[in-house]
Amino acid sequence: MARRPTKGLLLPSCILSLCLFFFAFYNLRASDQTQDSKPGATEKNSEVYPRGLRLMLTDGSYQLVREYQRNGEHVRYYSVERGAWEELPASMVDWNATAKAEAEMKKESTELVEKVHRQEEARRLDNVSDIDASLRVGDGAFLPSGEGMFVVEGKTIRILDQAGSEMKTDKKRAIADVLSPVHMVPGKQTIVMPGAHAVVRLRSNAPEFYLREAPLDPDSTSSIQRSRRAGENGPDVELVRTKVGRNTRVLESVKTLFGQAVSENINVISMQRWDVAPNVYRFTLSQPLPPGEYVLAEVLEEGLNLYVWDFGLDAAVANGGKQAEKK
């Protein structure tokens, strides 16, 4: 019996088998890619939980992780306990229980943030417990309690400390007047402060000032210093632009003749006084301040109070305020 030839059929059969293999492999890969592309199905990167998250497992146990990454059939996580990255099969993770644990963790974190915020707010209020909540000034701030002169710039309130000044007499003129038989040599007195610049520097050229005084009580001592007896009609405060000298600031120069003042040289900036509450007075400016050194001086029955509130305004701040007004 003669054999049928098979050599010509072997090559086509191999080619057909290879084609079927690649076709099946391609369909399998396409199916895997379709399954992996479903949102949240096989790929997920968790948030970072510094305090640790429970990655719940199907056997009821859990791994405390800082974060995890699900990639296909594997889960890579950072173990809080061991401080290293580890892996396990995704099938070992109870994803529903893990999602519930994540939701609880986010809720606890939100509550913790709110608690800290409430504590910080309570501490902030404790720090300003000495405010007078009935007196709102500036851009919504509250005037602190206690006596003193306060400068208000928007939401910022600062208390100005009193500084001492002194009366100086021109010694040469005083000696000449003593030697003169008829005492007709004019004298000169100046009120000066030490230092060419005040410590407090303003941040705007249009501040407001508030003076709080203690109620009249003969048995109590006021913290506001006065060199003479105060007037009885409320405080009369003047804003004086000083003349800067060599390590001094001159408030006022007074020329005298026969022991009487004949002229005064003082640069007063106009202000208006408002009575806003019992023993509380507000002072507003008639115009923006130019750069310079200033004092707030109370006018008493016998002249200026030698204890003044001083501050300065730098050129950069003043010019910045003018540019803002133009805009």
Side-chain angles (χ1 to χ4, degrees):
M1 183 175 179
R3 289 187 175 183
R4 297 175 61 182
T6 60
K7 184 176 180 181
L9 298 175
L10 182 60
L11 183 59
S13 298
C14 292
I15 294 175
L16 180 60
S17 299
L18 288 173
C19 289
L20 291 174
F21 173 78
F22 283 113
F23 179 78
F25 179 79
Y26 174 81
N27 286 338
L28 180 61
R29 290 292 299 167
S31 177
D32 291 342
Q33 291 178 359
T34 302
Q35 182 70 19
D36 291 347
S37 63
K38 294 181 181 179
T42 58
E43 293 185 2
K44 180 180 179 181
N45 291 337
S46 73
E47 297 181 10
V48 176
Y49 300 92
R51 295 190 298 140
L53 169 71
R54 291 184 177 184
L55 184 65
M56 305 302 297
L57 305 182
T58 54
D59 62 359
S61 62
Y62 64 87
Q63 291 287 340
L64 191 62
V65 304
R66 186 187 66 185
E67 59 182 299
Y68 67 85
Q69 302 168 355
R70 183 179 180 182
N71 185 11
E73 298 302 321
H74 298 277
V75 178
R76 187 167 180 261
Y77 61 90
Y78 187 89
S79 173
V80 174
E81 180 182 359
R82 290 172 289 279
W85 286 96
E86 299 176 354
E87 288 189 3
L88 55 73
S91 59
M92 293 180 60
V93 179
D94 186 339
W95 294 108
N96 291 332
T98 299
K100 184 178 179 180
E102 284 192 85
E104 293 177 353
M105 177 63 68
K106 291 179 181 178
K107 181 180 178 181
E108 291 177 2
S109 297
T110 302
E111 292 176 349
L112 179 61
V113 171
E114 292 176 352
K115 181 180 179 180
V116 171
H117 177 73
R118 289 193 299 269
Q119 291 175 344
E120 289 294 327
E121 188 69 14
R123 187 173 66 177
R124 186 185 68 83
L125 292 177
D126 288 341
N127 291 338
V128 294
S129 60
D130 59 343
I131 63 174
D132 185 346
S134 64
L135 290 179
R136 188 185 295 269
V137 299
D139 293 341
F142 292 101
L143 190 69
S145 63
E147 293 182 77
M149 179 70 75
F150 303 89
V151 55
V152 178
E153 299 174 283
K155 295 183 179 181
T156 302
I157 302 177
R158 289 182 287 173
I159 188 169
L160 298 176
D161 294 326
Q162 279 188 294
S165 59
E166 60 178 338
M167 181 80 72
K168 287 190 174 182
T169 303
D170 190 327
K171 294 181 179 180
K172 293 182 179 179
R173 293 191 180 190
I175 294 174
D177 185 54
V178 171
L179 297 177
S180 175
V182 291
H183 302 286
M184 292 189 60
V185 177
K188 183 179 180 181
Q189 294 179 330
T190 57
I191 300 178
V192 299
M193 291 185 65
H197 301 283
V199 174
V200 176
R201 316 305 296 176
L202 294 192
R203 299 161 186 163
S204 70
N205 61 355
E208 292 184 351
F209 303 95
Y210 286 80
L211 175 62
R212 187 199 297 275
E213 295 187 325
L216 294 176
D217 185 356
D219 296 329
S220 64
T221 303
S222 173
S223 62
I224 297 178
Q225 301 181 76
R226 291 183 171 93
S227 56
R228 303 178 182 88
R229 185 168 60 88
E232 298 178 356
N233 298 320
D236 183 8
V237 177
E238 288 187 343
L239 176 59
V240 180
R241 186 179 183 184
T242 66
K243 182 179 180 181
V244 178
R246 184 177 180 181
N247 202 31
T248 59
R249 285 162 287 167
V250 178
L251 281 65
E252 181 183 26
S253 296
V254 180
K255 290 184 179 180
T256 61
L257 185 64
F258 301 115
Q260 300 294 322
V262 294
S263 66
E264 293 181 341
N265 184 8
I266 183 172
N267 188 357
V268 176
I269 307 297
S270 176
M271 291 196 310
Q272 185 170 357
R273 190 188 84 181
W274 310 81
D275 297 359
V276 296
N279 304 306
V280 180
Y281 308 92
R282 174 191 179 200
F283 299 91
T284 57
L285 302 173
S286 60
Q287 60 186 7
L289 291 177
E293 301 297 321
Y294 297 87
V295 298
L296 289 162
E298 188 176 3
V299 180
L300 305 178
E301 291 183 352
E302 299 177 2
L304 288 181
N305 184 8
L306 294 181
Y307 295 96
V308 299
W309 298 277
D310 63 332
F311 62 88
L313 179 65
D314 297 321
V317 175
N319 295 334
K322 292 179 180 179
Q323 292 176 2
E325 290 175 0
K326 292 180 180 180
K327 292 181 181 179

